C-alpha cells in the first residue's frame, strides 16, 4: 500500500549520514525520500516542523520483542509501537524467544506477523547455536537465506571457543556478522550486579568487569583469526572499550554498541531511591558499572570506537521484577527513553547533536551493513531515494518518564519519574506515520 505523499516543512534537517544540517523541507513520496525540490502530482499531507529537528528514523540493533513465546512481556505489535514512540523505524529482533529463532519457520513467523502488525521495520537476528544452548551451530545458512541480518545467542555467551570459531567462519562465508553477548559465565559465576562496594553492601553476588573483558578479548582474537565480523553487544566496561579500540586500530573486523543505560547509570542506582533495599529495575545484563566505565563508554561513543547506541530493550512483566533482586529477570524497557537519555549527553555538552543522531541512525546501519543486507539503499540517512523513515524531535521539550504511559508492555524502567529533555513528536516509517503526538 503506497502511503500518501508527506511534506515536512521548515524543520532543521540533521542527517549525519549525508552531513546535512540545514533548515528546509523534506518530501516523502512512495515510501522514499524525494529528490530536493521535487513536487507531487497530488497535494501532500503536511507536517509543520518549524522549530523542530527532522532526522532519519532511528535504528535499534538490539530489541527483545518476546514474540513468539513470551507475549505477556511484549509482542511484535506492542514492541514496535514502543519503537515508533521512541522514534525508531527499524529494530533488530533478538533470538531469545521461545522457541528461539534458530530455524526458518520462526524467522518467517516473525516476518509475517511484522508485515501484518508492526509499526516499525523488523529485521531478524538468528541464533548462533541450536536453541541457544551453545552445543551445536544452528542452521546458519538456512537462517541467512530466510533473511536474518546476523547471528546472536544474546543473553548467553558461546562458551565453547571452538564452536565460536566455526560460527565466525560460517558467518564470514555467509557475509553476516556475529553479535556477541560477551560475558564469561564461569568468571561471572552467578553474579547479579557489578562486583564492587554496592554489591558488598547489599550482600549480592557481583560480576567483575573481567567477565566481559575476557569474553571480548577471546572473540576479538577469533575475529582476527577467521576474518569474521564480530559485533560486541552492550559494551559496559572501560577495559572492553579499550580492547575494541585497540582491535579496530589493528584492523580486526569489529563493531560495537552501547546502551543508553550504560551511558547514564552506575551500580549505585541499584541502591534505589526509596525505602526498598534495592531497585530490581536496575537488574540488567551486563550490569550497571562504575563512573569510570560510564565515562569510558561515552569517550568510546564520541571517538567512534563504539559505532552505535542500541537499546537492549528488554521488557519484563511486573511480576518478573516484584521479587528479590537475585530472582528478578534481568533487563529494562528501553525504546521510549533511549533518545532522550542520549540527548542528556548533548545537553551536557559531551557530544554534539549530530554525533548523537549518527550513533542512532547511520552508525548502526553501517555497523551491520543493513542497507546492503536489506536492499534498502540509503537506510539510516535522508539521501534522495532512501526509505522514508523520519523522526521529528523537539530537542528542548521537557517530559517526565511515567511507566504507565509507555506503549511497551514492559514498565520496568529505572528512569521512572526522571525529567528528560527532548521528545519524539512524529515518527514516519516507510512513508507511513507510525506515531504523531502533534495530533493528540
Ligand atoms: C535480556 C533479556 O531480558 O532478554 N536481558 C538483559 O538484561 N539484557 C537478555 C540478556 O542479555 O541477558
Amino acid at each position: 500500500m503506497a502511503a500518501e505523499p508527506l511534506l515536512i516543512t521548515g524543520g532543521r534537517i540533521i542527517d549525519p549520514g549525508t552531513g546535512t544540517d540545514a533548515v528546509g523541507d523534506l518530501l516523502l513520496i512512495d515510501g522514499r525520500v524525494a529528490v530536493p525540490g521535487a513536487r507531487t502530482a497530488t497535494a501532500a499531507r503536511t507536517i509543520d516542523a518549524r522549530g523542530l529537528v527532522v532526522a532519519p528514523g532511528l535504528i535499534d540493533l538490539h530489541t527483545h520483542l518476546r514474540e513468539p513465546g513470551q507475549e505477556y512481556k511484549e509482542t511484535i505489535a506492542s514492541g514496535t509501537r514502543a519503537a515508533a514512540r521512541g522514534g525508531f523505524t527499524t529494530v533488530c529482533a533478538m533470538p531469545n524467544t521461545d522457541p528461539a529463532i534458530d530455524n526458518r519457520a520462526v524467522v518467517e513467523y516473525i516476518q509475517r506477523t511484522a508485515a501484518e502488525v508492526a509499526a516499525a521495520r523488523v529485521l531478524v537476528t538468528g541464533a548462533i547455536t541450536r536453541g541457544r544452548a551453545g552445543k551445536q551451530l544452528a542452521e546458519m545458512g538456512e537462517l541467512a537465506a530466510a533473511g536474518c541480518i546476523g547471528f546472536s545467542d544474546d543473553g548467553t555467551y558461546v562458551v565453547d571457543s571452538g564452536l565460536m570459531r566455526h560460527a565466525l567462519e560460517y558467518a564470514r562465508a555467509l557475509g553476516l556478522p556475529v553479535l556477541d553477548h560477551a560475558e564469561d559465565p564461569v568468571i561471572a559465576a552467578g553474579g547479579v550486579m557489578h562486583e564492587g562496594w554496592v554489591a558488598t553492601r547489599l550482600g549480592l553476588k557481583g560480576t567483575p568487569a573481567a567477565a566481559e573483558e575476557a569474553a571480548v578479548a577471546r572473540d576479538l582474537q577469533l575475529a582476527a583469526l577467521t576474518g569474521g565480523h564480530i559485533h560486541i553487544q552492550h559494551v559496559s566496561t572501560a577495559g572492553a572499550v579499550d580492547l575494541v579500540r585497540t582491535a579496530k586500530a589493528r584492523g580486526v573486523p569489529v563493531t560495537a554498541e552501547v546502551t543508553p543505560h550504560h551511558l547514564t547509570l552506575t551500580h549505585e542506582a541499584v541502591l534505589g531511591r526509596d525505602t526498598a533495599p534495592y531497585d530490581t529495575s536496575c537488574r540488567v545484563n551486563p550490569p550497571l558499572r562504575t563512573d569510570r566505565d560510564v565515562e569510558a563508554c561515552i569517550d568510546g561513543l564520541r571517538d567512534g570506537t563504539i559505532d552505535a547506541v542500541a537499546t537492549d530493550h528488554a521488557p519484563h512483566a511486573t511480576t518478573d521484577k516484584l521479587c528479590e533482586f537475585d530472582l528478578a529477570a534481568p533487563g529494562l524497557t528501553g525504546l521510549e527513553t533511549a533518545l532522550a537519555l542520549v540527548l542528556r549527553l548533548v545537553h551536557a555538552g559531551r557530544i554534539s547533536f549530530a554525533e548523537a543522531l549518527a550513533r542512532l541512525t547511520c552508525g548502526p546501519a553501517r555497523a551491520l551493513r543493513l542497507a546492503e543486507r536489506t536492499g534498502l539503499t540509503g537506510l539510516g540517512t535522508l539521501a534522495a531515494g532512501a526509505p522514508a523513515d523520519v523522526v521529528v524531535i523537539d530537542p528542548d521539550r521537557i517530559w517526565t518518564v511515567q511507566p504507565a504511559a509507555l506503549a511497551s508492555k514492559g514498565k520496568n524502567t529505572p528512569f521512572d519519574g526522571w525529567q528528560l529533555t527532548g521528545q519524539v513528536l512524529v515518527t514516519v516509517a516507510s512513508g507511513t506515520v507510525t506515531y504523531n503526538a502533534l495530533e493528540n
Side-chain angles (χ1 to χ4, degrees):
M1 186 190 66
E4 61 178 327
L6 185 65
L7 183 63
I8 303 175
T9 58
R12 177 179 165 199
I13 301 172
I14 307 183
D15 176 18
T18 57
T20 306
D21 186 345
V23 172
D25 297 345
L26 187 72
L27 179 62
L28 310 174
I29 312 178
D30 293 334
R32 307 237 159 232
V33 176
V35 255
R39 310 224 168 271
T40 56
T42 53
R45 186 176 166 196
T46 301
I47 291 175
D48 179 359
R50 279 174 298 170
L52 305 174
V53 168
V54 176
L58 312 183
I59 298 176
D60 188 19
L61 297 181
H62 196 139
T63 314
H64 295 277
L65 292 176
R66 305 296 191 212
E67 185 177 353
Q70 292 187 309
E71 290 81 356
Y72 69 100
K73 292 181 194 259
E74 194 77 289
T75 61
I76 292 168
S78 65
T80 56
R81 261 200 314 276
R85 288 179 73 138
F88 290 89
T89 50
T90 300
V91 299
C92 297
M94 284 298 123
N96 63 339
T97 48
D98 184 14
I101 309 176
D102 66 357
N103 65 77
R104 178 186 282 273
V106 187
V107 178
E108 289 179 351
Y109 169 80
I110 293 166
Q111 291 167 336
R112 250 193 339 264
T113 308
E116 281 167 22
V117 305
R121 181 179 299 108
V122 176
L123 304 179
V124 184
T125 52
I128 301 171
T129 67
R130 283 193 194 176
R132 297 175 48 257
K135 301 289 180 217
Q136 289 167 291
L137 291 182
E139 292 290 348
M140 294 171 71
E142 177 183 297
L143 291 167
C148 287
I149 51 92
F151 303 99
S152 177
D153 270 5
D154 185 51
T156 321
Y157 187 52
V158 178
V159 174
D160 182 330
S161 309
L163 200 63
M164 189 61 158
R165 172 191 178 162
H166 292 312
L168 279 159
E169 285 166 345
Y170 278 105
R172 182 185 177 189
L174 295 164
L176 291 176
V178 172
L179 284 53
D180 193 10
H181 177 105
E183 181 185 59
D184 184 323
V186 183
I187 301 175
V192 294
M193 66 172 297
H194 176 67
E195 183 174 297
W197 69 266
V198 181
T200 305
R201 180 185 285 184
L202 291 173
L204 292 170
K205 182 139 180 39
T207 298
E212 176 164 322
E213 290 153 7
V216 170
R218 182 201 75 174
D219 291 336
L220 291 172
Q221 292 304 117
L222 293 177
L225 171 69
T226 61
H229 172 183
I230 194 92
H231 174 80
I232 309 295
Q233 298 181 289
H234 42 49
V235 167
S236 76
T237 78
V241 176
D242 271 347
L243 285 165
V244 173
R245 185 179 288 119
T246 313
K248 279 192 167 181
R250 280 196 290 139
V252 176
V254 56
T255 52
E257 66 183 39
V258 63
T259 74
H261 44 280
H262 289 106
L263 293 168
T264 310
L265 296 174
T266 70
H267 59 156
E268 292 180 48
V270 174
L271 293 166
R273 287 171 288 165
D274 49 30
T275 51
Y278 40 63
D279 179 358
T280 57
S281 72
C282 292
R283 169 128 201 236
V284 63
N285 283 337
L288 302 170
R289 304 282 188 186
T290 66
D291 265 332
R292 196 179 138 257
D293 297 305
V294 172
E295 289 303 309
C297 287
I298 296 170
D299 287 345
L301 193 67
R302 199 176 34 213
D303 73 14
T305 300
I306 298 176
D307 304 79
V309 172
T311 68
D312 195 2
H313 176 76
H316 290 293
T318 309
T319 46
D320 298 325
K321 290 284 193 181
L322 265 183
C323 56
E324 293 85 338
F325 193 87
D326 39 1
L327 297 180
L332 56 96
T333 192
L335 285 165
E336 291 163 85
T337 47
L339 175 66
L341 289 174
V342 176
L343 290 182
R344 284 177 87 238
L345 301 176
V346 175
H347 294 301
R350 304 298 304 276
I351 58 173
S352 71
F353 210 114
E355 282 166 338
L357 288 175
R359 302 293 182 261
L360 286 157
T361 58
C362 57
R366 285 177 190 155
L368 299 195
R369 296 180 39 220
L370 296 180
E372 295 91 314
R373 293 203 165 109
T374 57
L376 294 166
T377 308
L379 182 68
T381 76
L382 295 176
D389 298 345
V390 183
V391 60
V392 180
I393 303 161
D394 183 340
D396 301 314
R397 185 180 289 209
I398 298 170
W399 60 288
T400 303
V401 180
Q402 291 172 310
L406 298 175
S408 170
K409 288 191 185 188
K411 311 300 181 192
N412 48 309
T413 173
F415 304 107
D416 185 358
W418 279 42
Q419 279 210 333
L420 298 175
T421 306
Q423 196 170 34
V424 171
L425 296 184
V426 181
T427 307
V428 183
S430 302
T432 299
V433 176
T434 51
Y435 176 64
N436 191 348
L438 296 176
E439 279 180 354
N440 290 341

